[in-house]
Amino acid sequence: MIFHETKLDNGLQIIAELNPNAHSLAIGYFVRTGSRDETADVSGVSHFLEHMAFKGNEKYTADDVNRIFDEIGANYNASTSEEITLYYGSFLPEYIDTAMELLSTLIHPSLRQDDFDMEKKVILEEIGMYDDLHSFTAYEKVMQAHFQGHPLGQSILGSVQSITDLTAEQMRDYHAKHYLAGNLTLAVAGNADWHKVLELAHKFCDHWPGGQTDRPTDEAQPKTGTQIITEKKTQQQHIMQLAPAPSARDILRLPAEILAVVIGDDSNSRLYWKLVDPGLAESAEIGFNEYDGSGTWLTYLCSEPDLIESNLQLIQQIFDDVNQNGITQEELDRAKNKLASRLVLRSERPMGRLSSLGGNWVYRQKYYSVADDLELLNNISLDDIQELLKKYPLGHSTTAAVGPMTTVVD
């Protein structure tokens, strides 16, 4: 694999990890904008804008965009998070010209009023759908509480009120401010010629407006407390808890990934054997989430309501033990092997490499090959885990509960 990188005059960053032996090609535009970059009056606009991207431009209608992607057999989609909006596709290498043109079309759609009015209904339906998912509600509530007063606490979907009030003109203004070339990274993985990539990038992207939008990345100072949403008709109680963890640029992020696997992976972790395997809970997990300037330990518990209090006590006992005594060398080695296997298997396809390639560049302005990632992983020691726990112990500062219970003792 050969890595290339350059920057166009307008600030668009282009990175590529090319492999002539690959049978496919993946391309993605990583836009450094998400819900944390919104103001209250346009809450949810980043996600709404992601939907509008597929409505076409002056050359292509919405039907054209989706039809042509299908004609070249592309696997294509988009996603919005707190910090990144991603437009991506994977396809056969011979269709790179068409794929690049269509993906570039998504970045600067026409944003027509009639399309906006129609898609607004879809967004409102989506909000209603997610409102029925209790685990999603718990996540939204715990993020809002934990990051109260911080941009990371802002909802990705927005609210029914914010989307209803949003205008097409507000969306156009947001797009003009945040979809500047300097906010974008074009990432390419798989079988392609670098000179061809540059030729197409110049053809489709040179005219994009330059510039970059600043983003404050001060580490969040989390609030403490518990939010309870009572849903009497549900049979299970959903609990989510957050605590501070390393940020995306912190050298402790890799030890945090390993520790999360040891303690809270969905199989063969301490939480799994203590709560899930004996049938005390349907789910008991802890994950590590990294952001610009901040990070979180996210603990999730789902069980029958009458077991919630005792299950939370068991989780806290595990956390206390780990914070005091750390983990064993055997647990460390097993977690490293598990992460290494996931990394390698995911990397065997260009689409699997794309997210890692683009994510590392957007957050850290660095390229890591698979070999680099494996070396970094293998070098993590028990001392690194202890340093992590000293700075970011397992626990919780904020809790959100959704289910039939009216009180939760955390």
Side-chain angles (χ1 to χ4, degrees):
M1 294 185 183
I2 303 173
F3 177 72
H4 303 270
E5 65 99 0
T6 191
K7 182 185 290 188
L8 300 187
D9 290 342
N10 58 11
L12 175 68
Q13 298 182 85
I14 307 172
I15 57 173
E17 183 185 76
L18 304 181
N19 178 7
N21 296 316
H23 295 291
S24 65
L25 177 66
I27 298 177
Y29 281 106
F30 291 74
V31 190
R32 190 171 181 263
T33 193
S35 57
R36 73 172 295 166
D37 302 296
E38 301 167 358
T39 54
D41 60 323
V42 295
S43 177
V45 67
S46 299
H47 171 253
F48 195 159
L49 186 51
E50 173 216 313
H51 280 236
M52 290 293 293
F54 290 89
K55 296 300 182 180
N57 60 8
E58 294 77 11
K59 181 177 180 180
Y60 295 111
T61 66
D63 288 344
D64 291 333
V65 171
N66 290 282
R67 174 180 53 79
I68 297 171
F69 269 132
D70 280 346
E71 287 176 351
I72 66 174
N75 176 19
Y76 65 101
N77 211 330
S79 63
T80 306
S81 70
E82 287 87 359
E83 300 184 320
I84 293 176
T85 307
L86 170 60
Y87 303 90
Y88 63 89
S90 61
F91 36 85
L92 299 179
E94 55 262 37
Y95 296 117
I96 184 173
D97 295 70
T98 302
M100 269 290 293
E101 181 175 9
L102 286 177
L103 285 170
S104 301
T105 295
L106 303 182
I107 303 302
H108 285 276
S110 293
L111 302 180
R112 293 177 284 260
Q113 183 68 50
D114 55 344
D115 291 331
F116 178 88
D117 294 339
M118 181 181 299
E119 199 62 27
K120 178 180 284 193
K121 300 175 184 176
V122 176
I123 299 296
L124 291 172
E125 286 289 334
E126 187 173 355
I127 292 174
M129 178 188 71
Y130 277 103
D131 282 345
D132 291 336
L133 299 178
H134 302 306
S135 59
F136 179 82
T137 301
Y139 175 77
E140 285 249 300
K141 295 301 182 183
V142 79
M143 286 289 287
Q144 291 170 7
H146 186 81
F147 288 109
Q148 184 180 350
H150 188 277
L152 281 170
Q154 296 169 175
S155 170
I156 295 173
L157 293 179
S159 66
V160 170
Q161 189 65 54
S162 69
I163 296 301
T164 299
D165 293 343
L166 188 69
T167 67
E169 189 58 37
Q170 286 176 306
M171 176 178 284
R172 295 185 192 107
D173 289 343
Y174 184 87
H175 179 273
K177 180 179 179 181
H178 292 273
Y179 276 63
L180 300 171
N183 278 353
L184 276 77
T185 298
L186 169 61
V188 181
N191 190 344
D193 176 77
W194 174 239
H195 297 291
K196 182 67 171 179
V197 171
L198 290 183
E199 174 192 328
L200 294 171
H202 282 296
K203 179 179 179 180
F204 297 120
C205 310
D206 267 348
H207 65 284
W208 290 355
Q212 190 173 16
T213 307
D214 290 333
R215 170 191 286 170
T217 57
D218 297 337
E219 185 168 12
Q221 303 302 315
K223 306 297 188 289
T224 60
T226 300
Q227 288 204 11
I228 300 175
I229 312 299
T230 302
E231 297 282 355
K232 290 293 187 181
K233 294 182 180 180
T234 60
Q235 299 298 311
Q236 293 179 309
Q237 189 74 26
H238 300 264
I239 304 287
M240 284 201 181
Q241 298 179 321
L242 289 181
S247 70
R249 292 177 180 266
D250 196 322
I251 60 172
L252 294 174
R253 62 185 178 83
L254 280 178
E257 288 187 25
I258 291 175
L259 186 62
V261 169
V262 172
I263 307 305
D265 204 27
D266 59 5
S267 64
N268 297 314
S269 64
R270 291 200 189 185
L271 290 180
Y272 174 84
W273 290 116
K274 193 71 173 180
L275 286 91
V276 180
D277 183 69
L280 300 176
E282 179 180 315
S283 297
E285 304 170 8
I286 184 170
F288 163 61
N289 296 324
E290 58 181 20
Y291 307 100
D292 256 347
S294 300
T296 60
W297 295 119
L298 171 60
T299 303
Y300 174 57
L301 171 65
C302 176
S303 75
E304 295 180 5
D306 57 357
L307 294 176
I308 284 293
E309 184 174 348
S310 58
N311 283 340
L312 287 174
Q313 291 174 354
L314 290 174
I315 291 173
Q316 191 58 53
Q317 289 172 12
I318 292 174
F319 288 175
D320 290 343
D321 177 59
V322 173
N323 290 335
Q324 182 174 351
N325 303 311
I327 61 176
T328 67
Q329 185 66 50
E330 180 183 0
E331 287 178 316
L332 175 63
D333 293 340
R334 188 165 61 241
K336 287 161 70 171
N337 286 336
K338 185 181 287 189
L339 286 173
S341 177
R342 292 173 182 174
L343 171 65
V344 172
L345 291 174
R346 184 172 64 247
S347 300
E348 288 183 343
R349 296 183 300 111
M351 192 65 236
R353 279 296 292 161
L354 187 70
S355 59
S356 177
L357 181 68
N360 277 325
W361 199 262
V362 170
Y363 281 112
R364 292 172 276 276
Q365 290 291 293
K366 287 186 178 181
Y367 166 68
Y368 295 98
S369 67
V370 176
D372 292 334
D373 283 336
L374 290 174
E375 183 179 4
L376 289 170
L377 182 63
N378 288 329
N379 286 338
I380 301 300
S381 67
L382 289 176
D383 288 340
D384 296 319
I385 301 296
Q386 285 301 117
E387 182 182 354
L388 166 70
L389 288 168
K390 184 177 180 181
K391 188 173 182 181
Y392 296 105
L394 299 179
H396 68 277
S397 58
T398 318
T399 298
V402 179
M405 301 176 67
T406 56
T407 59
V408 174
V409 178
D410 61 350

